Amino acid sequence: NSKVIQTPRYLVKGQGQKAKMRCIPEKGHPVVFWYQQNKNNEFKFLINFQNQEVLQQIDMTEKRFSAECPSNSPCSLEIQSSEAGDSALYLCASSLAGNERLFFGHGTKLSVL
Amino acid sequence: GDKVKQSPSALSLQEGTNSALRCNFSIAATTVQWFLQNPRGSLMNLFYLVPGTKENGRLKSAFDSKESYSTLHIRDAQLEDSGTYFCAAEARSNYNVLYFGSGTKLTVEP
């Protein structure tokens, strides 16, 4: 069973509102990923970190999305101004290295009304 | 086009029977992972593969990087095997990022 903890489990926001979700990676895992899974089961990579440093991120992440993994605090993903198309399951995962086995949390299901 | 094509999209099995899922890659895949997602959304990692084969209980998975495909075999299917299975590949062109298949929804019936 995964030891990646994501909160909250569900998040409901109005359009234009901020949406913030958190992730505690598995202990000892320095690499953290965020993926978005839409209702059609399409997964989209958003961003990944090694410790506190961003390794890679997509263009979408650079504009309305912000993420961080501060030391000694949960990682977070925040959408500055939510849009209906952001409604999805946001999955956090961690691993020992970027190309190693990935362990996912339960996800945060975001609904933007 | 799809970088990872997964088939079938849905599958119904009787308890105790066997089946196989497949993913074909149009990318130069270096590693493959298989996951099972339950109805609540939790993704469980089943296998991490470099080219070759691994077995875990009733599950067996293979990854052939030269022929660009991976398979997941389920033997003696049980009710608890129900869920959506995803394969995901890491590409030589973009290390650390996984490209997911579209999933196989498996229903095991008594």
Side-chain angles (χ1 to χ4, degrees):
Chain A
N1 287 330
S2 174
K3 300 178 180 69
V4 177
I5 300 170
Q6 286 190 251
T7 55
R9 195 68 179 258
Y10 303 96
L11 196 52
V12 180
K13 294 290 178 182
Q15 293 197 51
Q17 289 187 319
K18 285 187 181 181
K20 188 168 186 174
M21 53 206 87
R22 291 176 175 81
C23 170
I24 300 174
E26 188 163 330
K27 192 174 181 181
H29 285 189
V31 184
V32 174
F33 297 78
W34 287 98
Y35 282 86
Q36 179 197 65
Q37 182 186 12
N38 68 19
K39 62 180 181 180
N40 296 320
N41 279 341
E42 295 163 335
F43 285 77
K44 181 181 289 184
F45 165 80
L46 297 177
I47 192 169
N48 58 0
F49 293 83
Q50 176 140 359
N51 298 311
Q52 293 81 54
E53 301 296 320
V54 174
L55 293 176
Q56 298 155 291
Q57 60 183 331
I58 64 166
D59 285 346
M60 180 180 78
T61 311
E62 292 174 13
K63 292 172 182 171
R64 290 186 303 110
F65 288 58
S66 62
E68 61 176 3
C69 272
S71 61
N72 301 317
S73 292
C75 298
S76 64
L77 176 68
E78 185 171 30
I79 306 173
Q80 302 303 320
S81 178
S82 301
E83 298 175 355
D86 297 330
S87 295
L89 181 67
Y90 288 83
L91 291 158
C92 176
S94 71
S95 68
L96 285 170
N99 59 348
E100 292 287 331
R101 189 171 186 165
L102 219 55
F103 294 92
F104 282 89
H106 292 102
T108 292
K109 187 171 182 181
L110 173 65
S111 298
V112 182
L113 305 177
Chain B
D2 293 343
K3 294 181 172 62
V4 179
K5 286 192 177 176
Q6 187 170 346
S7 61
S9 57
L11 184 60
S12 185
L13 293 177
Q14 291 292 120
E15 249 186 318
T17 59
N18 307 330
S19 193
L21 315 180
R22 184 179 176 106
C23 286
N24 292 316
F25 310 118
S26 61
I27 52 175
T30 54
T31 64
V32 173
Q33 300 188 47
W34 283 90
F35 300 91
L36 170 58
Q37 188 170 41
N38 68 21
R40 297 188 72 195
S42 299
L43 271 168
M44 181 169 63
N45 192 303
L46 300 174
F47 289 104
Y48 170 88
L49 295 156
V50 293
T53 302
K54 281 190 178 177
E55 194 163 356
N56 184 5
R58 295 179 293 101
L59 301 180
K60 183 176 180 178
S61 186
F63 168 37
D64 187 328
S65 58
K66 289 181 181 175
E67 299 297 323
S68 298
Y69 74 91
S70 178
T71 55
L72 176 67
H73 292 260
I74 302 172
R75 175 174 56 80
D76 184 24
Q78 301 297 306
L79 296 176
E80 60 265 28
D81 296 333
S82 295
T84 304
Y85 291 78
F86 292 95
C87 66
E90 183 184 15
R92 197 184 310 279
S93 59
N94 196 6
Y95 282 122
N96 302 334
V97 175
L98 288 180
Y99 295 93
F100 283 79
S102 53
T104 297
K105 186 172 182 179
L106 174 65
T107 304
V108 180
E109 296 168 338

